[in-house]
Amino acid sequence: MAVPVTVPADQARPVSARHFVRLKLRVMGNNFRGQGWRVALFLVGSLIGLWFAVGAFFGLAAPGLAGDDRYALLIAAFAGGLTVLGWLLLPLVFFGVDETLDPARFALLPLSRRTLVTGLFAAALVSVPAVAVLLALSGLVVTAGVFGGWSAALVTAVGVVCGLLLCVAAARAVTSAFASMLRSRRVRDLAAVLLAVLAASLGPLQLAGVAAIQDTDWDRLTGVATVIGWTPFGAPWTAGIDVAQGRAWAAPVKLLITVVTIVALLAWWSRSLESAMVGAASAGPTRAKPGVTGGVVAQLFPRAAGWLRRDRFGALVAREARYWWRDARRRANLITIAVVGLFVPVMVNFGGQGFTIDSEQGFSPAGDSSPVLVSLSMLFVGLLAAVTLANQFGFDGSAYAANVVAGVPGRLELRARITAFSLYVLPMLAVVAVVIALVLGEPAWIGFMAGALVATYGAGLAVNSFVSVLGAYSLPETSNPFAMNSGAGVVKGMLTLLAMVATAALAAPMVLAAALLGDAWLWLGLPLGVAYGVGAALLGAYLAGDVLDRRQPELLALVTPRR
């Protein structure tokens, strides 16, 4: 019998930040073990991030390389401010925040709050985005060094490091605070909806910003940049530029602003972290709705699926339809499709032309569109709608085991999931076709626009049926609704890009037909597009269903979160 050895408290090694960093690296390695495709996607995504970081480096170093310091402060303030905003918003909506080390896992360990915050903060710095941002913003060091010598370069280097710490601290503090606030299911749903609308609105805001820049007074922008430079959004990035331009007194003040902000954010994170570790509270008992008749089975079928037969296929469709409406993460994707689906065609058709406001005609585009250009915009909307299913089994997680145990055939499974998702998406696509045609002033184009949408959407369903079976990944089970497993953000981006490229290739005949058939396509676009889309979706579900039958155990292992 082994005798347990007790280590005296005075001989125990204290836990420090390096233990959290080593633990994160160990967990990352275990997550990638035996999954070569995930390692490959992670490496490719890292190389792409490095490529963009190098490009941003030379862009921020451009004033110094060109020997013109007129725009040095402008570029530093706006680029740095957008970087901080990006760390706050983009990971929440598109890629999630890295929860390789979920704070809830440390709830029962005798760790002080300071140790936990310091360790998790250090672990959050060990990531591809952090390295990419550090490399990209280092271009400011070159600009400051050219104009102000080594002293300005040194101050800028310190500012860039402090700026990176500010980005990570802000992201972690905000997400931890949201996680502690979003205990109510209704509040979580509302937050996911608002974030989806915000993410989908980034494109329209970008278009409005580009239009505004064309007529902008650059002297006024310099004044705005000066103001931003005295806020936490721009202070760390502009301190070295101030030294280079003869305002050395401003550098320590701006660095002090940055340090104070970082300390305040870490204190806020520390206060909300303990509450976030507790987990989500129960939503309470479910009450039966008064006046609902038709039996228990009938109540499980939502109104959108009420026409289905009460068989195995109907039950699967009803379940998926209910999940798409009640799951906040899925519903946020539907809202993104609706908003972006209306914005992208407007941007593609009017982005380079602008608008005119006439006293007689009112609001109208300042140029003429064409069926080919409209078909291209419809192609993007269709593939964007379908790519939502690229990780459809990941939404289920370990609950997919029920389908595996029940022996649901793969073809039936995929057809049911496609049908349930289409109950919500197809009406959206119809609205997009009608609205864009009316905005263009071409109501006769509604037919071929709807055909292009359905054809692309059907081709995308076929592609994403295979992607969801072969490239599934797990989503974390945590009280933080914005969490993403380490590396999953890169995997998500690469799978999305792969699915979109394949869908665009399959839907390209619709664009070619619009270019070659001329006016005849106005009449043939709708029937041919619907036939092409429905046929592609059914064929994809038929072929991918066979693959799903062979990979059900592997798929369940991939989508089950690792403890």
Side-chain angles (χ1 to χ4, degrees):
M1 178 176 179
V3 179
V5 179
T6 303
V7 180
D10 57 350
Q11 297 182 11
R13 300 176 61 183
V15 178
S16 62
R18 64 184 181 89
H19 293 92
F20 286 84
V21 174
R22 292 176 58 185
L23 179 60
K24 177 176 180 177
L25 295 176
R26 179 70 61 86
V27 174
M28 290 175 60
N30 291 338
N31 287 337
F32 288 134
R33 183 176 301 172
Q35 301 186 36
W37 65 274
R38 290 193 63 177
V39 176
L41 289 178
F42 180 78
L43 293 177
V44 172
S46 301
L47 292 176
I48 294 176
L50 180 63
W51 172 266
F52 282 107
V54 172
F57 173 88
F58 285 104
L60 297 177
L65 298 177
D68 188 354
D69 66 342
R70 290 181 300 174
Y71 303 114
L73 180 64
L74 189 70
I75 291 177
F78 281 101
L82 290 176
T83 300
V84 178
L85 286 177
W87 273 79
L88 285 174
L89 299 179
L90 296 182
L92 297 180
V93 181
F94 294 108
F95 304 107
V97 290
D98 184 5
E99 281 285 23
T100 302
L101 300 184
D102 186 358
R105 307 295 185 190
F106 302 93
L108 300 180
L109 297 180
L111 298 175
S112 65
R113 185 183 298 180
R114 176 180 298 180
T115 300
L116 190 59
V117 170
T118 304
L120 293 176
F121 185 53
L125 293 171
V126 183
S127 64
V128 174
V131 175
V133 168
L134 185 63
L135 175 60
L137 273 299
S138 297
L140 297 175
V141 179
V142 176
T143 297
V146 170
F147 297 127
W150 66 269
S151 58
L154 179 60
V155 172
T156 304
V158 175
V160 168
V161 174
C162 292
L164 176 62
L165 298 178
L166 174 65
C167 291
V168 176
R172 305 302 298 186
V174 170
T175 54
S176 181
F178 265 94
S180 60
M181 291 170 56
L182 303 183
R183 294 192 181 278
S184 169
R185 176 179 176 180
R186 293 184 178 180
V187 177
R188 290 198 303 269
D189 293 352
L190 178 61
V193 169
L194 293 178
L195 286 172
V197 173
L198 176 62
S201 302
L202 292 178
L205 292 176
Q206 180 184 6
L207 181 61
V210 172
I213 288 176
Q214 296 176 355
D215 299 323
T216 296
D217 185 353
W218 290 99
D219 293 334
R220 291 187 178 181
L221 277 183
T222 302
V224 174
T226 302
V227 175
I228 294 176
W230 286 101
T231 67
F233 290 95
W237 324 105
T238 59
I241 304 298
D242 286 330
V243 175
Q245 295 181 349
R247 298 183 296 273
W249 60 270
V253 179
K254 290 188 174 182
L255 292 179
L256 179 61
I257 292 174
T258 305
V259 172
V260 171
T261 304
I262 294 173
V263 173
L265 288 171
L266 291 180
W268 182 25
W269 184 21
S270 176
R271 292 178 63 87
S272 61
L273 183 62
E274 183 176 348
S275 178
M277 291 167 60
V278 176
S282 173
T286 302
R287 297 181 180 179
K289 295 182 180 180
V292 177
T293 59
V296 176
V297 175
Q299 296 179 26
L300 297 177
F301 281 72
R303 294 182 180 179
W307 52 273
L308 291 168
R309 295 178 57 184
R310 273 42 176 179
D311 55 6
R312 184 164 55 172
F313 175 77
L316 289 172
V317 174
R319 187 201 66 170
E320 285 297 308
R322 187 174 294 275
Y323 284 174
W324 277 106
W325 182 249
R326 290 195 171 186
D327 187 351
R329 188 156 40 186
R330 299 195 192 200
R331 189 163 67 240
N333 287 327
L334 294 177
I335 295 174
T336 301
I337 294 172
V339 177
V340 177
L342 289 174
F343 160 70
V344 169
V346 173
M347 183 185 68
V348 171
N349 291 280
F350 303 147
Q353 303 169 10
F355 300 93
T356 60
I357 301 179
D358 187 81
S359 59
E360 297 180 357
Q361 298 181 356
F363 180 80
S364 62
D368 295 329
S369 187
S370 66
V372 176
L373 189 60
V374 172
S375 297
L376 282 173
S377 62
M378 297 298 104
L379 183 147
F380 185 83
V381 174
L383 64 87
L384 179 66
V387 81
T388 306
L389 296 183
N391 190 38
Q392 56 183 322
F393 294 97
F395 291 120
D396 293 357
S398 57
Y400 178 64
N403 293 33
V404 177
V405 173
V408 179
R411 297 173 182 175
L412 182 67
E413 174 93 41
L414 292 177
R415 284 194 290 111
R417 289 176 178 267
I418 288 174
T419 303
F421 184 61
S422 299
L423 291 177
Y424 298 102
V425 174
L426 288 180
M428 295 183 190
L429 298 183
V431 171
V432 169
V434 173
V435 171
I436 298 303
L438 295 179
V439 171
L440 289 172
E442 298 287 351
W445 290 6
I446 294 178
F448 86 83
M449 290 170 62
L453 282 172
V454 174
T456 307
Y457 174 66
L461 292 177
V463 171
N464 287 283
S465 295
F466 282 96
V467 173
S468 63
V469 174
L470 299 175
Y473 56 90
S474 63
L475 299 176
E477 292 182 339
T478 174
S479 59
N480 189 340
F482 312 112
M484 181 71 68
N485 292 327
S486 180
V490 178
V491 173
K492 177 182 177 181
M494 295 303 299
L495 288 178
T496 300
L497 180 61
L498 176 63
M500 293 176 70
V501 171
T503 302
L506 291 178
M510 303 300 294
V511 181
L512 294 177
L516 298 178
L517 297 181
D519 293 339
W521 186 242
L522 300 179
W523 304 98
L524 298 176
L526 181 58
L528 293 181
V530 171
Y532 185 87
V534 174
L538 293 178
L539 180 61
Y542 182 85
L543 297 177
D546 292 338
V547 181
L548 178 59
D549 288 334
R550 298 192 298 268
R551 283 183 52 84
Q552 278 188 341
E554 293 83 355
L555 180 60
L556 177 60
L558 290 175
V559 301
T560 300
R562 298 191 177 187
R563 300 293 182 179

